[in-house]
Amino acid sequence: MTLDIRGSLKNTKISANRYVVLEELISNSIDSFLIRQHQDPLVRSLDVRVVAEVLTTSVVDGAQDLCISCTDNGCGLGEEQMEAFLTKDTSYKDDLSIAGIGKCKGAGRIQYFHHFERVGIRSTYQSDGKVLTRTLPLVAARKKIDRTDFTVSEGEAGDIGTTITLDTLKPGVRERFYRIDTPSEIFSAANMRRYMLVAFLQRLVSLKTELGQFSISFQTKNPHGRIETLTLTAADLPPVTEVKSVLVEERDPQAGSPLGSYANFTLSHYKLDASVFDLPRNAISFCAKSSPVQDITRRYLRTVSEQNRPLDGFHHIVLIESELLDRRVNEQRDGFEGIPNEIPTGDLFDEEKVSYAGIYDCIDPIIEAMVSPSGWSRDDVIADAAERFGVNPGMLADTDTRVVYGDNAKSVAERVLRKYQERIIADTAEIFDLREEIEKAEPHTANFRQKINELSWKYASSLKTFDMANLSQLVVRRAAIVEILALACKRQLAVQVVAEGVRRQDERVIHSIFFPMKRDSLETSDHDIWLLSEEYQYYDYIASDKPLSEIEWNDGEKLFDPGIDDELAATLRRRAEENGAMRPDIAIFDKEGSAIIIEFKAPGVSLDDHVGDLSEYAHLLAAKSNGRLKKFYGYLIGDTVAPLRMAGWTRFAAGHGYFRSTPLQDPETGRNLGELYAETLFFDDIVRRATKRIGVYRDKLQLDLSKK
């Protein structure tokens, strides 16, 4: 058996958690102890000793390096453990019927090699009545580890256990994690103990009987001989304050309909006296295998001061556990994969039946009852929303809107009205869907009258929603936007009257109606992209006439990776040189991996001359996104086209536009990059679609903004 270190580093991302190696060391020590107790059930207690030695590497700038060792009294690295250590995707622990040991893939130890130049092991174990010691010396730049790298010698029974030593931080890790906070600060005994109390609280509490009067000591050896030592023992563990279980209903990933089955989530709340427990902050986290993985404290405690200080004299720790979270935790143990934000997701390949939105809907009220700062009143906010905006408790109940800590009257009113707006749009769409079905029905059949009944009930319910929401303003505003777009497309706006010889700005005017130019959705939420499709305004990110290189993703991370794989390097370099300045008028991105490309052409410009633009944009975005984007929807919008030049395109049954769907393949390598669905649309069609969406409510208001 051989552990391929270089291959494992490629396939397992580095964790963003600075304490990840410490967590893995202690977690493995606990597992090893449980295995020893299972094999040899004597009365003993877990004993783990962590030593962090901080070294000064430069007298000039005070640069520091780090060496960490962790010693335990577990079972040691016997034959089965050795085989598992040398297997990247191991199932060793999965088959152990031992309480407290969770499933694993063996990816945790890869973080050792991500963070440190050298990894050494000294382990004493029992085998066939003998006591042996297995040693892996500290060697830098290992590419692989196999059995021949270990030496085996006779050992002492009193030494059974394992010491793992991690030495010399890698330069990239030192720059990324220790540029501001030094190793001596991060790995001080006090900080290690504080962090590990929270990280292992749930596991230590649940295993208190199995681990006995355990002791986990933290020692920091600082430069100049200063030593700091603190210990975490069984007596230090607080009792759990309360435990709540909640069932999250599963939904069909495609339709979003309830399935009648449920996923169970358990919330454990620890309310800790701040005068007894010296903790740096409150913590609310999604957990996997009884350990915090994803911190969600900011969702419930909005300010930094609330997160960091005790609330009414108590620190609060809320740990959320579920088999779903255990199954979906990523290899770096700093997040979860495969849990969608919403259901339905719109992705045919999504299979998860529980979304973050569904989880939060169920756990939010429970956590808000557990952790709520003083000085804020839900009743006061509800009363203020009713007085200032007319949003009464009945409307809150009708839209299933909860008032949570941090809300004010304005934010509550906005959420309620937005939900009514979405409901009205959905109702309107369904009305016209039914109308189209009615037109296809045969009047002399019973089905025709059934459709009439459905339409009348749907219309009546939508009017009730409309009246409750008092959304006349929305309809008036949207009707005005549609009329402005219609005038702009016909060059009838006052701003489009220009003197002879002055360059026309028709495309710029039309573009700005949909979305402000040279802006993105991080800078403005005031736009009218709904004119093209209602769902696009809810996408994660919209960029209007922005260079591709400026588009950001995930808290400042660039969406388009400048680094590309070797296979496409030469081709993409050439494309980048030729098209580096190219960018779509509007680009809309969804983190599920889809992109919408919108290109406007001024009145009179023939669309058939530019049908290749969409494909070229899609190729560039697919390739430069490094695999993040695979599904593309392209829209080329104008008012002129030569039908004879639209070979390969299918004409819409209604309207003058065309559509087609084509695979995106690299022209030089043939590699599949994704799929492009493209449409060429006329401005009149856009106006007609938008008018149709709001028509029923505009008629109710007897609103007509067009010029007679």
Side-chain angles (χ1 to χ4, degrees):
M1 305 295 294
T2 300
L3 177 62
D4 179 3
I5 296 175
R6 288 200 305 176
S8 297
L9 291 175
K10 286 182 180 179
N11 296 324
T12 302
K13 296 179 181 178
I14 188 171
S15 172
N17 178 4
R18 294 189 296 190
Y19 290 102
V20 65
V21 294
L22 196 53
E23 285 190 43
E24 291 296 335
L25 288 169
I26 296 175
S27 180
N28 287 333
S29 292
I30 294 173
D31 287 343
S32 182
F33 179 82
L34 293 173
I35 294 171
R36 183 179 183 184
Q37 289 298 94
H38 180 73
Q39 296 173 344
D40 181 21
L42 296 178
V43 178
R44 62 172 69 91
S45 299
L46 172 70
D47 182 20
V48 178
R49 285 162 285 158
V50 175
V51 177
E53 185 174 1
V54 181
L55 307 172
T56 300
T57 59
S58 173
V59 178
V60 178
D61 59 9
Q64 295 181 342
D65 209 336
L66 180 66
C67 176
I68 294 179
S69 68
C70 179
T71 302
D72 63 52
N73 62 336
C75 65
L77 204 61
E79 288 303 312
E80 289 183 337
Q81 293 79 30
M82 180 69 176
E83 183 176 339
F85 180 84
L86 295 177
T87 304
K88 166 61 164 60
D89 295 318
T90 179
S91 59
Y92 165 62
K93 293 181 183 178
D94 298 359
D95 300 326
L96 299 178
S97 299
I98 303 174
I101 294 184
K103 296 180 179 180
C104 76
K105 294 183 66 177
R109 67 182 177 281
I110 305 305
Q111 299 299 330
Y112 302 162
F113 300 100
H114 266 306
H115 286 253
F116 288 87
E117 297 280 4
R118 302 191 297 168
V119 176
I121 300 173
R122 180 178 176 82
S123 182
T124 301
Y125 61 97
Q126 283 187 318
S127 177
D128 297 327
K130 298 179 181 179
V131 177
L132 303 174
T133 296
R134 200 188 302 268
T135 304
L136 177 71
L138 285 168
V139 175
R142 288 187 186 274
K143 297 180 180 179
K144 60 183 180 63
I145 298 177
D146 57 32
R147 284 181 176 273
T148 60
D149 294 310
F150 289 82
T151 61
V152 179
S153 60
E154 292 186 5
E156 298 290 336
D159 295 333
I160 290 178
T162 300
T163 297
I164 296 180
T165 302
L166 311 177
D167 188 34
T168 310
L169 291 167
K170 287 188 173 181
V173 170
R174 185 184 291 107
E175 173 65 20
R176 177 177 177 180
F177 295 118
Y178 305 101
R179 182 169 48 185
I180 298 176
D181 298 326
T182 62
S184 60
E185 294 171 317
I186 297 171
F187 288 94
S188 70
N191 282 336
M192 286 192 290
R193 185 185 182 280
R194 289 191 194 101
Y195 185 89
M196 293 307 144
L197 172 60
V198 177
F200 286 96
L201 178 58
Q202 186 72 351
R203 192 173 186 196
L204 293 175
V205 168
S206 63
L207 292 174
K208 196 169 184 179
T209 301
E210 289 83 357
L211 301 182
Q213 297 302 313
F214 69 81
S215 172
I216 304 176
S217 69
F218 302 93
Q219 183 178 94
T220 304
K221 295 181 178 180
N222 290 290
H224 312 300
R226 184 168 57 88
I227 298 177
E228 175 191 7
T229 304
L230 291 173
T231 303
L232 177 62
T233 68
D236 297 325
L237 295 181
V240 61
T241 304
E242 58 181 323
V243 177
K244 298 279 189 179
S245 291
V246 63
L247 296 177
V248 178
E249 187 165 20
E250 296 179 335
R251 296 182 174 274
D252 184 291
Q254 310 307 324
S257 54
L259 296 176
S261 54
Y262 298 84
N264 185 63
F265 284 74
T266 301
L267 288 75
S268 300
H269 176 211
Y270 294 86
K271 186 177 179 181
L272 310 179
D273 190 331
S275 64
V276 177
F277 292 91
D278 180 23
L279 296 180
R281 63 193 298 269
N282 299 290
I284 305 170
S285 304
F286 285 127
C287 298
K289 303 177 181 69
S290 298
S291 297
V293 170
Q294 183 174 319
D295 186 274
I296 56 172
T297 309
R298 289 181 60 188
R299 181 178 179 87
Y300 306 99
L301 300 175
R302 304 299 173 87
T303 68
V304 174
S305 62
E306 289 169 348
Q307 295 163 23
N308 293 341
R309 63 176 172 80
L311 303 178
D312 297 328
F314 292 92
H315 288 294
H316 294 266
I317 299 174
V318 181
L319 304 175
I320 304 126
E321 299 176 274
S322 170
E323 184 277 333
L324 169 66
L325 299 176
D326 290 348
R327 176 163 42 89
R328 290 298 192 180
V329 66
N330 63 21
E331 286 192 334
Q332 302 88 263
R333 296 186 59 78
D334 57 8
F336 300 90
E337 297 175 346
I339 302 178
N341 290 324
E342 300 273 355
I343 291 179
T345 64
D347 190 333
L348 293 176
F349 301 102
D350 257 331
E351 298 180 352
E352 185 54 63
K353 301 172 185 176
V354 173
S355 67
Y356 278 113
I359 296 170
Y360 285 129
D361 281 345
C362 294
I363 68 173
D364 280 353
I366 299 174
I367 296 177
E368 287 157 12
M370 292 174 172
V371 184
S372 183
S374 59
W376 179 84
S377 169
R378 180 180 285 99
D379 292 339
D380 289 347
V381 173
I382 293 174
D384 195 20
E387 180 180 350
R388 295 178 58 190
F389 300 101
V391 176
N392 57 48
M395 296 171 69
L396 295 176
D398 183 59
T399 56
D400 194 25
T401 300
R402 286 196 305 272
V403 179
V404 299
Y405 170 72
D407 276 338
N408 54 40
K410 182 175 180 292
S411 65
V412 171
E414 287 174 343
R415 286 211 310 279
V416 170
L417 294 180
R418 183 168 60 249
K419 288 183 178 181
Y420 274 124
Q421 172 186 339
E422 292 169 359
R423 189 184 297 179
I424 288 172
I425 297 302
D427 288 346
T428 305
E430 289 189 31
I431 288 172
F432 283 105
D433 288 344
L434 286 170
R435 176 57 182 264
E436 291 177 358
E437 291 185 37
I438 288 171
E439 291 176 349
K440 298 175 183 177
E442 299 178 7
H444 63 282
T445 64
N447 182 59
F448 175 76
R449 297 190 182 279
Q450 179 182 346
K451 294 298 181 183
I452 291 292
N453 290 336
E454 290 178 7
L455 176 62
S456 62
W457 278 113
K458 192 63 184 177
Y459 185 78
S461 65
S462 66
L463 293 183
K464 174 180 177 292
T465 301
F466 184 90
D467 291 337
M468 284 187 66
N470 193 21
L471 285 179
S472 302
Q473 186 271 346
L474 169 71
V475 179
V476 174
R477 182 192 179 285
R478 287 198 167 191
I481 287 292
V482 172
E483 182 62 23
I484 291 170
L485 177 61
L487 293 172
C489 294
K490 298 174 184 177
R491 296 181 176 176
Q492 293 179 354
L493 288 176
V495 72
Q496 292 174 291
V497 179
V498 297
E500 186 175 350
V502 176
R503 183 180 178 181
R504 302 195 61 85
Q505 299 288 321
D506 299 323
E507 180 180 340
R508 182 183 184 90
V509 169
I510 294 171
H511 182 150
S512 298
I513 294 172
F514 283 79
F515 199 100
M517 294 187 69
K518 300 188 183 302
R519 305 284 293 278
D520 64 21
S521 53
L522 299 178
E523 300 170 298
T524 180
S525 59
D526 190 14
H527 57 77
D528 287 278
I529 204 68
W530 65 271
L531 286 163
L532 184 60
S533 176
E534 192 68 43
E535 66 181 21
Y536 291 163
Q537 66 179 330
Y538 304 113
Y539 268 54
D540 295 297
Y541 180 81
I542 305 175
S544 176
D545 200 46
K546 283 231 174 189
L548 299 180
S549 61
E550 294 182 8
I551 297 176
E552 295 186 347
W553 202 247
N554 288 339
D555 298 327
E557 177 187 355
K558 298 298 183 183
L559 170 58
F560 297 106
D561 191 347
I564 56 176
D565 60 63
D566 296 338
E567 184 181 354
L568 293 176
T571 301
L572 294 181
R573 257 195 309 273
R574 176 178 56 77
R575 286 193 200 141
E577 291 167 359
E578 294 175 357
N579 305 294
M582 291 184 64
R583 54 182 179 268
D585 287 335
I586 297 177
I588 307 174
F589 302 100
D590 185 272
K591 291 180 181 177
E592 300 299 324
S594 59
I596 292 88
I597 305 165
I598 304 173
E599 184 72 6
F600 299 104
K601 296 302 171 187
V605 176
S606 188
L607 297 178
D608 48 90
D609 289 334
H610 298 276
V611 291
D613 292 358
L614 298 179
S615 178
E616 191 161 13
Y617 286 141
H619 271 93
L620 283 169
L621 297 180
K624 299 290 281 183
S625 71
N626 202 20
R628 291 188 180 100
L629 302 177
K630 293 183 180 297
K631 295 183 294 185
F632 297 87
Y633 304 88
Y635 297 92
L636 187 61
I637 305 173
D639 68 354
T640 305
V641 72
L644 293 179
R645 300 183 65 185
M646 297 298 291
W649 292 73
T650 302
R651 190 184 189 107
F652 284 115
H656 303 90
Y658 295 80
F659 69 92
R660 74 176 179 184
S661 181
T662 56
L664 296 176
Q665 293 182 332
D666 186 278
E668 295 187 7
T669 66
R671 178 176 178 178
N672 183 46
L673 299 177
E675 186 83 13
L676 169 65
Y677 171 79
E679 294 184 4
T680 60
L681 298 174
F682 278 59
F683 290 123
D684 287 345
D685 293 329
I686 301 293
V687 172
R688 186 162 48 251
R689 290 182 184 182
T691 302
K692 191 175 182 180
R693 288 194 199 104
I694 64 171
V696 64
Y697 302 109
R698 190 170 62 177
D699 292 343
K700 183 178 186 295
L701 291 175
Q702 298 182 348
L703 177 68
D704 187 358
L705 299 180
S706 61
K707 186 176 181 180
K708 298 297 184 181

